Amino acid sequence: MKTTRRDFIRTTGAGALGATLVPALVGSQAPGVSSGKSYDVAVVGAGVFGAWVALRLGQAGRRVALLDAYGVGNARASSGGQTRVIRMGYGDQEIYTRWSMHSLDLWKSLLAQASRPSMFQPAGVLWMARGEDPLTTKTLATLRRLGVRHERLGRPELEHRWPQIDFGPNNWAIYEPQSGFLMGFHVVQTVVQNAMTRGVEYLQEAVVPPAGKGRLDSVATRSGKTIRAGTFVFACGPWLPKLFPDLLGERIFPTRQEVFYFGPPPGDARFRSEAMPVWVDFAEEIYGLPDFKGRGFKVAPDRHGPAFDPDTGTRVITPETLATVRKFVARRFPGLKDAPLVSSEVCQYENTSNGDFLIDRHPERDNVWLVGGGSGHGFKHGPAVGEYVAARIVEGGKMETRFSLATKEKVQKRAVY
Ligand SMILES: Cc1cc2nc3c(=O)[nH]c(=O)nc-3n(C[C@H](O)[C@H](O)[C@H](O)COP(=O)(O)OP(=O)(O)OC[C@H]3O[C@@H](n4cnc5c(N)ncnc54)[C@H](O)[C@@H]3O)c2cc1C
């Protein structure tokens, strides 16, 4: 079923936080669906990666179909959360700092074009550190080398600027004043709206795992349609192991991740985005976002949770994690020690063995691309991923080794944060 751009915009709202409807569907058939016609590229999965790949290919003049089983930015997708952090700090993993810098420019330009600049909030990002913390020390060097605006703040300055935080054993921090957060699923919907103005056809269809070997000419959908294309991009995030069980069943590890939103006391402005930045307490493997538009003060453990099924997994938080998070909040943000939980999300990371993305051709099907492995940090990089994948498809060119399938191990050893 094809969704027209007008229907899509009508049902996804004009950008206000809280407009959560999935696209309405109309019955008309897109040209490559069960007919003799064919798309240049079919992109399966309209999360942040697939959306940007489709947009870039549309801009390059390709006839593109973008398919999603549950809808753009749906609640099961890894891209389906309310907000996502964009920071430049990545230790000494320079490629991700560079991609993040480039992506932030592209996000801003897309959102400005769409008259929705406030979907990126430059609240700043504060990376708290203890002693010689190697990751933060390396981050500092990388930010300096690449000319990213930042400040190194000692304890007195931290306490002066943000008295609402009890820094505990953290005695210094890096502050990135130009980083911040994006409106999660809303910005993905904005990317797809933009892609549709470039002729990309969005179809809400679930693709059946492709069988056989060799070149792929078409895929089938669960509703019985056939989608023909010259090239296929599978950007299915945590579903990639279900689509390619033999290849990826043991190489992408979807893990259950809980997100908590606490309600600050009435009239208390100290925890709003005007008053404090996004923060990361790396040693405690936890991060969070200030209260934005009254949605609550977000706190999310970054430690990998148990294995999770993105289709059927229960998306209700556990009392155990809530208790742990509450204790942390009471210590680090004493003004929130009695704050009620006002909402929550259960999402999943789609981890590779070390956190590097997976962007490669299928080893036995050279017109099939595998794009995923965002590993809990991929969202911000959507624009760079889209540009990279579209350029490889359209122009060819050198592939980045660290994104290759060959580097993806069957045992997890996290190295990229
Ligand atoms: C709780 C949480 C917090 C995070 N925080 C951050 C952050 O602050 N900053 C950051 O940069 N990153 C963050 N991430 C990581 C980031 O959100 C993900 O890496 C990114 O969204 C992955 O996007 P994707 O497009 O690969 O996958 P998804 O968003 O999961 O998209 C895949 C899509 O494929 C579709 N699909 C699956 N199977 C089929 C099929 N058979 N047919 C058709 N469609 C199909 C699904 O419906 C889905 O929409 C976080 C992730 C989580 C879970």
Side-chain angles (χ1 to χ4, degrees):
M1 285 173 289
K2 182 186 167 192
T3 302
T4 63
R5 180 171 180 270
R6 205 184 57 207
D7 286 330
F8 184 87
I9 291 171
R10 177 167 53 75
T11 55
T12 53
L17 194 69
T20 58
L21 298 177
V22 293
L25 303 169
V26 293
S28 64
Q29 275 198 343
V33 179
S34 303
S35 72
K37 292 185 188 168
S38 177
Y39 295 97
D40 294 324
V41 186
V43 180
V44 183
V48 74
F49 284 178
W52 273 100
V53 170
L55 171 59
R56 283 301 187 210
L57 288 168
Q59 286 174 330
R62 295 300 185 271
R63 283 171 303 151
V64 180
L66 173 64
L67 298 97
D68 200 285
Y70 295 117
V72 180
N74 68 82
R76 287 174 167 110
S78 295
S79 307
Q82 291 267 357
T83 47
R84 291 288 182 259
V85 179
I86 178 156
R87 56 169 157 94
M88 308 299 131
Y90 262 98
D92 56 0
Q93 314 277 341
E94 194 175 305
I95 186 169
Y96 292 110
T97 299
R98 286 186 185 281
W99 273 34
S100 205
M101 292 164 72
H102 184 49
S103 290
L104 181 54
D105 287 344
L106 297 175
W107 278 117
K108 283 189 195 166
S109 132
L110 175 101
L111 296 174
Q113 235 179 70
S115 305
R116 295 171 185 177
S118 63
M119 284 195 176
F120 164 65
Q121 287 290 314
V125 172
L126 186 68
W127 191 287
M128 304 178 205
R130 303 169 184 195
E132 301 296 303
D133 172 28
L135 188 84
T136 321
T137 306
K138 286 175 187 166
T139 296
L140 197 59
T142 310
L143 297 183
R144 272 190 198 129
R145 197 169 54 250
L146 297 186
V148 176
R149 227 182 108 192
H150 68 280
E151 296 173 59
R152 186 198 190 286
L153 303 174
R155 182 67 177 251
E157 183 60 20
L158 289 170
E159 286 173 359
H160 173 70
R161 286 201 203 181
W162 298 291
Q164 67 275 55
I165 306 178
D166 177 342
F167 288 92
N170 295 300
N171 54 355
W172 66 286
I174 299 175
Y175 179 54
E176 297 176 16
Q178 293 171 323
S179 298
F181 59 94
L182 293 152
M183 301 294 116
F185 64 90
H186 293 284
V187 296
V188 181
Q189 292 174 342
T190 304
V191 177
V192 175
Q193 286 168 11
N194 195 304
M196 290 167 86
T197 67
R198 317 276 168 171
V200 170
E201 289 175 21
Y202 170 68
L203 307 157
Q204 191 157 327
E205 296 282 356
V207 168
V208 175
K213 288 195 171 157
R215 196 180 163 76
L216 188 64
D217 294 319
S218 65
V219 289
T221 70
R222 291 204 187 277
S223 66
K225 299 192 175 69
T226 303
I227 311 288
R228 295 184 181 80
T231 301
F232 291 83
V233 176
F234 286 87
C236 300
W239 285 267
L240 278 172
K242 292 194 179 201
L243 280 141
F244 300 97
D246 294 344
L247 201 60
L248 300 178
E250 294 178 89
R251 289 191 164 83
I252 301 267
F253 309 85
T255 56
R256 187 177 200 282
Q257 306 298 141
E258 300 187 5
V259 178
F260 303 84
Y261 295 85
F262 294 98
D268 189 339
R270 293 175 298 163
F271 302 99
R272 293 186 197 151
S273 53
E274 298 83 5
M276 65 168 291
V278 171
W279 52 272
V280 184
D281 193 330
F282 183 69
E284 304 230 13
E285 295 182 277
I286 197 161
Y287 70 96
L289 275 72
D291 182 25
F292 180 65
K293 293 197 174 178
R295 306 310 301 174
F297 184 86
K298 175 172 169 176
V299 184
D302 183 48
R303 185 179 302 171
H304 291 171
F308 191 69
D309 183 316
D311 287 302
T312 60
T314 303
R315 295 181 189 264
V316 179
I317 51 125
T318 54
E320 295 77 25
T321 314
L322 173 60
T324 309
V325 167
R326 268 197 189 290
K327 274 192 200 149
F328 170 83
V329 169
R331 268 193 287 126
R332 192 68 69 245
F333 306 98
L336 293 176
K337 79 174 169 24
D338 299 318
L341 185 71
V342 290
S343 89
S344 61
E345 292 166 358
V346 174
C347 191
Q348 64 283 307
Y349 287 171
E350 57 299 303
N351 307 295
T352 57
S353 47
N354 70 348
D356 270 327
F357 300 155
L358 166 64
I359 306 177
D360 204 352
R361 281 197 163 93
H362 190 295
E364 288 157 8
R365 319 190 85 153
D366 74 352
N367 68 333
V368 171
W369 289 76
L370 308 167
V371 177
S375 305
H377 70 100
F379 194 92
K380 64 183 81 58
H381 299 288
V385 169
E387 199 168 88
Y388 175 84
V389 174
R392 299 286 90 67
I393 291 174
V394 172
E395 301 158 14
K398 194 174 169 302
M399 304 270 282
E400 173 60 50
T401 311
R402 65 189 298 168
F403 300 152
S404 68
L405 179 63
T407 59
K408 304 298 174 279
E409 307 286 342
K410 294 185 179 175
V411 177
Q412 273 190 279
K413 199 168 171 229
R414 196 173 182 182
V416 180
Y417 290 88

